Every structure is written in C-alpha cells, then in structure tokens.
Amino acid sequence: MNVQPKASHYINGRFVEDEGGRALDVLYPATGEVIAKLHAATPNIVELALEAARTAQGSWARMKPVERARILRRASDLLRERNAELSRLETLDTGKPLQETLVADAASAADALEFFAGAVQSFNGELVDLGGSFGYTRREALGVCVGIGAWNYPIQIAAWKSAPALAMGNAFVFKPSENTPLTALALAEIYTEAGLPDGLFNVVQGFGDVGAALVSHPVTAKVSVTGSVPTGKKVMGVAGSHMKHATMELGGKSPIIVFDDADLENAIGGAMLGNFYSSGQICSNGTRVFVQRALHDRFVERLVERTKTIRMGDPLDENVQMGPLVNGAQHAKVMEYIEAGKAEGATLVVGGNAPSMQGFDNGFFVEPTVFTGVTDQMRIAREEIFGPVMSVLSFDSEDEVIARANDTEFGLAAGVFTRDLPRAHRVIAELQAGTCWINAYNLTPVELPFGGYKASGIGRENGTAVLGHYSQLKSVYVETGDVDSPY
Ligand code: NAD
C-alpha cells in the first residue's frame, strides 16, 4: 500500500519538501507497514509557513464575511463529494475502521466548514447607547493562528480548528500529529481548490519540537492544541510567556453514571460507544462507568454479551467494527494498563488480550476490555488509558456518585443515564465537566460547544463560542458632541 503525498508540507497553496528534516514514516496500524515517508519541518519550513500566513492574512480579513463563507462552503461540498477516498486515507493513517471514518471524520470536517460559513455572517459586535454619544464593538481577527493536532481524529481536528479561524479572517498553520500526517494535506488541497487564497491554510509536519517552534514564534497570535494534559501544560506555559491566546483541548477520565431506573440497553450502548469507538482513543470517553448497585449485575451480564459480538479485524472491511490502536507505543501502554488492572485486583470480565489475526500479525490490536470491581484509587480508574478499556464501578446514592465522579483532575465530559429527568438535570448541574450528555454519549455536533473543565482544557471548540476564541474585541467610542476638556 502506498499513499505517498506529493510532498511533506503544504505552504502558500503548494506542496513543499525539505529533505533536511527528520524522517517521519507513516505506518498503517493494522499491518505495521510503511505507507508513506515524510520529513519533519526544518526551521526554514516553519518560517516559510508562518510568513506565507502573515502575508495572506490582511486582505483575507478585509473581505466580507459572506465572501469568506462562500469559499468555506465550497470546500465543505468538496469534502462531502470526496468522502469515500478521504475516509479510506483516514483509515490507513489511523487504523480506524472504514465503518467509522465514512461517517465521523471528513463528514464532521464538512459539517464544521458549512456551519462556520453560516455562523460567522451573524457574529457581529454590538452597538452601545451612551446617551447621545454611542459606542460599538468590532470582532477582529487575531492574525496568524496555529493548530496542533492529536492522532485520533486528524481531519476533523484540522477542520474544527481551521474553519472557525478562517471564517473570522485569520490565517492558519496546522501541524498534524506525527502519527497521522496525511489527511490534513488533503484538506489543504481542497481549500485551495475551493478558492481559498494561497497562504491562508498551511500544513507543516513534525514532532513536538516543530509544534514548540510554531507556538513561540513572534508571528503566531494564537495556538489551539488537541493533545494530552502534559503537552497542554507545556504549550500553555510557552503561550503565556509570550502573551498569546491559547485554546487547550486535552485528555480526560470522564464518568458515565447509570442510575437503576435507566433504560438498560441504551445505557450499555452509550457505555460501549464511550469506551470502544475508535478503539477507545477518544478524549471524551466515559472510562469510569458508575452503575447503581441494584442494576449492576444485570448491566455487566448484558455488557459482556454485547461486547463479545464486536467484530474486530481488517479496517478496510466495512463490516468490521473495531480496528487497531494507532501504533506500537500506544499498544504497549494499553496492555500495561490491563496488567495494572489485574495486579490491583480488578476483575477482568471480557477481553484483555492482544489478538493476532491472519494477515494482520503486526497490527496493534487490543480486544475490547471490561473490568468490574474497580475502586476509585486504582490506576485504571484515575489515569487516561486511551484504549478500549472500560472500568465498571458500583454506587449507592446520588450524592456519593457525584462526589466520586468529580474526584479527578480532569473535567472534559460526563454522561448520565436515567428515566428521571429532574434528577438527570440536577446531577449534570453538579458535575465538573465541560461537555455533558443525558441518555446519550459522545455525540459532538458542531452546533454545540465542546471542551473541558479543570485540567482537561481552556477555551472551547465549536458552536458560536469558538468564534469568540478566534477573534479579539475592539471597543470604539463615538462622540457626537464637543470634547468636554477642562484645559
Ligand atoms: P500528545 O500530547 O502526545 O500530542 C499532541 C500534539 O502535540 C502532537 O501533534 C504533538 O506533536 C504535539 N506536541 C507535543 N509536544 C509539544 C510541545 N512541547 N509543543 C507543541 N506541540 C507539542 O497527544 P496525542 O498522544 O497525539 O493524543 C492523545 C491525547 O490527546 C489524549 O490525551 C487525548 O485525550 C487528547 N485528545 C483531546 C481531545 C479534545 O478535544 N479534548 C481530542 C482528541 C485527543
């Protein structure tokens, strides 16, 4: 399999290579084979990308929002037309099954472009009556914004960040995860084809050092990172020391609370989606599943039955529901957590193995895994695993489960399953999490803001909220009388 792009980087509307950069091999996670060979950005590539963005940004910001929107909408249409080929590329890059990428990746990117094309046209400042004189506010672009991506949703992350940034009149430089560099390049070509002027969306490849160089560069006005909490802390520190705007979309250890009056099959479906989709590599996953004691045993019995039916295998087979993890390091990390769960005394009720499948002997597969008898202090209940490992914990009362759910440094997401809607709203109001679901889990429509409390994040993506995070507010006082000067 070979999906070699024309070059590693995309700057000023064209592909650019610099073979002086560190080698960056792209693996197909299902087989471990190298499917593309790229180079990380050199300092020269970083300069070229930021300079292209800086040069292009001013005239883009002066265009009418409706004109910028027209280009974004065209790009959205192209994403939808090419969904099949983009989904295949995303599957090869990430290992996620085609069954998922066909509906959740380029399609979600297209939604973002379409939504922000519309939203920006009514995202205006306000007129303030000052009694004769008046004031008004303008929402102005920040300038050059940098996006840094994780490897679980590569094209979605690139679009969730660049669409609102571009809509507001910013220029963008995106650094994909070093594990999944391919689909951002495809997005860049689509933007150009849709009519985006050169220099407004650039892609540079690289490891953490390239991300750091982009963040600390004087041209960069803002950075938005999707990644782990330790990376977020580093980037936030650098951004703070240069007084730059920053948005952090980081990790989690989110709770799903299942009360004993919940619809059992829906609650189990939500818990499975919140632990096994994308092989568990989702930041908002509800990896601590608290089940009220009276329902616990029935919940576990059906959960195990349903988990055993998950079809794992060739990600390019549309009947397959679960693929491998992204790489060998992540595979080793997840297997280590499974061993830690056993060693700490949790009960492994299903999964736990790294299966070897014919034709995929070198793939990074881990079975969907469920532990019961998990207690709050175990590592598997406290640390983000980022793999298909669910911990089931039991609880008795509402107050108890709220306190335990909140007892974590993270605060990305939370879910509540119950038929008692007053209770659902009461509990959600007490949970320290930025993104919550009632009787659902992990749905992230672009219309609704997404992001975390506590260590899980700062700022928001999506909704009209994100347009505020990609703009700065200018206040203008307009005097309609004489200047009242004492001098
Ligand atoms: P990571 O933190 O290892 O890397 C994220 C990105 O940051 C990569 O592109 C990496 O090259 C870059 N980076 C690393 N060090 C840097 C530095 N010092 N300066 C600038 N950039 C640097 O994360 P990952 O392993 O790619 O992704 C998994 C993590 O991402 C998990 O913790 C997951 O929860 C989180 N995540 C969060 C969201 C969200 O929206 N909240 C979404 C997806 C993933």
Side-chain angles (χ1 to χ4, degrees):
M1 230 155 329
N2 180 359
V3 286
Q4 182 71 31
K6 290 182 198 120
S8 299
H9 320 287
Y10 194 92
I11 298 172
N12 218 9
R14 54 199 76 89
F15 279 96
V16 179
E17 192 58 84
D18 182 347
E19 292 182 355
R22 182 176 157 193
L24 198 160
D25 288 354
V26 188
L27 302 184
Y28 179 34
T31 60
E33 77 184 282
V34 176
I35 53 171
K37 283 179 169 288
L38 308 183
H39 296 276
T42 55
N44 185 44
I45 288 288
V46 168
E47 280 305 322
L48 285 176
L50 288 168
E51 188 50 29
R54 193 189 62 77
T55 308
Q57 192 262 330
S59 46
W60 175 246
R62 283 187 286 274
M63 274 167 71
K64 285 190 209 161
V66 69
E67 291 168 343
R68 294 198 297 265
R70 205 170 293 137
I71 293 170
L72 296 184
R73 207 161 21 234
R74 229 177 276 142
S76 165
D77 290 344
L78 289 171
L79 281 165
R80 285 194 218 289
E81 278 167 30
R82 298 195 191 144
N83 186 44
E85 64 190 86
L86 291 167
S87 301
R88 184 171 182 277
L89 188 60
E90 198 71 300
T91 285
L92 294 174
D93 214 359
T94 61
K96 297 194 296 179
L98 209 47
Q99 193 184 88
E100 289 187 16
T101 53
L102 281 168
V103 296
D105 291 87
S108 164
D111 283 354
L113 268 66
E114 188 176 353
F115 176 76
F116 292 112
V120 74
Q121 295 177 62
S122 53
F123 188 72
N124 290 308
E126 47 182 4
L127 185 73
V128 182
D129 186 346
L130 299 171
S133 296
F134 65 96
Y136 62 94
T137 59
R138 287 169 52 83
R139 279 277 169 199
E140 296 186 349
L142 292 166
V144 175
C145 300
V146 163
I148 297 178
W151 37 258
N152 55 345
Y153 280 83
I155 199 169
Q156 183 194 88
I157 291 170
W160 279 18
K161 294 186 190 306
S162 63
L166 292 170
M168 279 310 307
N170 300 283
F172 210 76
V173 178
F174 186 68
K175 188 199 85 62
S177 162
E178 54 271 37
N179 295 304
T180 54
L182 298 177
T183 47
L185 294 169
L187 176 64
E189 283 186 288
I190 284 175
Y191 271 134
T192 298
E193 198 178 328
L196 188 72
D198 293 348
L200 290 170
F201 183 77
N202 309 278
V203 178
V204 300
Q205 308 292 352
F207 301 83
D209 59 326
V210 172
L214 288 167
V215 177
S216 58
H217 197 285
V219 161
T220 303
K222 182 203 165 91
V223 59
S224 174
V225 180
T226 297
S228 61
V229 171
T231 299
K233 285 180 177 168
K234 278 190 225 160
V235 175
M236 192 78 198
V238 175
S241 70
H242 293 268
M243 206 58 86
K244 293 173 195 244
H245 297 252
T247 292
M248 299 287 141
E249 292 292 347
L250 309 175
K253 191 76 199 174
S254 302
I256 295 177
I257 300 173
V258 182
F259 286 97
D260 59 16
D261 66 343
D263 180 296
L264 182 65
E265 294 300 324
N266 282 338
I268 291 169
M272 290 174 75
L273 275 171
N275 278 271
F276 302 144
Y277 207 70
S278 300
S279 295
Q281 304 165 113
I282 299 185
C283 51
S284 50
N285 269 356
T287 44
R288 294 182 293 145
V289 180
F290 292 93
V291 185
Q292 203 163 19
R293 204 168 300 277
L295 189 66
H296 178 272
D297 293 354
R298 270 195 299 144
F299 182 94
V300 171
E301 190 186 330
R302 272 297 286 150
L303 170 65
V304 169
E305 270 173 28
R306 286 179 61 176
T307 300
K308 283 181 178 161
T309 68
I310 292 176
R311 289 186 297 276
M312 175 176 269
D314 179 357
L316 292 170
D317 174 349
E318 278 187 50
N319 292 311
V320 162
Q321 296 168 314
M322 200 163 154
L325 295 166
V326 77
N327 60 23
Q330 189 61 18
H331 187 264
K333 180 181 159 195
V334 173
M335 292 310 293
E336 192 224 311
Y337 272 110
I338 291 173
E339 288 311 312
K342 291 187 214 165
E344 285 181 306
T347 307
L348 178 68
V349 289
V350 64
N353 300 306
S356 172
M357 281 169 291
Q358 209 182 1
F360 298 94
D361 311 287
N362 297 320
F364 309 119
F365 292 88
V366 174
E367 288 174 350
T369 297
V370 178
F371 280 105
T372 60
V374 179
T375 60
D376 296 351
Q377 297 314 317
M378 289 180 184
R379 279 183 65 207
I380 56 169
R382 302 208 71 78
E383 297 172 19
E384 184 182 46
I385 301 174
F386 225 55
V389 183
M390 184 195 304
S391 291
V392 179
L393 307 93
S394 59
F395 74 95
D396 293 301
S397 75
E398 188 179 309
D399 288 347
E400 171 208 338
V401 77
I402 290 168
R404 290 170 63 194
N406 286 337
D407 181 20
T408 167
E409 65 165 318
F410 301 111
L412 186 53
V416 173
F417 282 87
T418 177
R419 287 193 173 95
D420 179 346
L421 284 181
R423 172 162 66 187
H425 296 296
R426 191 167 66 227
V427 172
I428 286 287
E430 292 301 319
L431 292 174
Q432 297 161 358
T435 307
C436 297
W437 293 275
I438 294 174
N439 293 328
Y441 206 80
N442 261 355
L443 301 175
T444 53
V446 66
E447 295 89 340
L448 206 52
F450 180 86
Y453 283 10
K454 300 199 282 189
S456 291
I458 290 186
R460 289 292 175 271
E461 298 203 300
N462 291 345
T464 43
V466 71
L467 294 174
H469 294 293
Y470 279 111
S471 57
Q472 52 195 338
L473 201 58
K474 178 176 280 176
S475 299
V476 183
Y477 181 104
V478 182
E479 179 60 70
T480 54
D482 294 327
V483 173
D484 182 15
S485 169
Y487 310 111

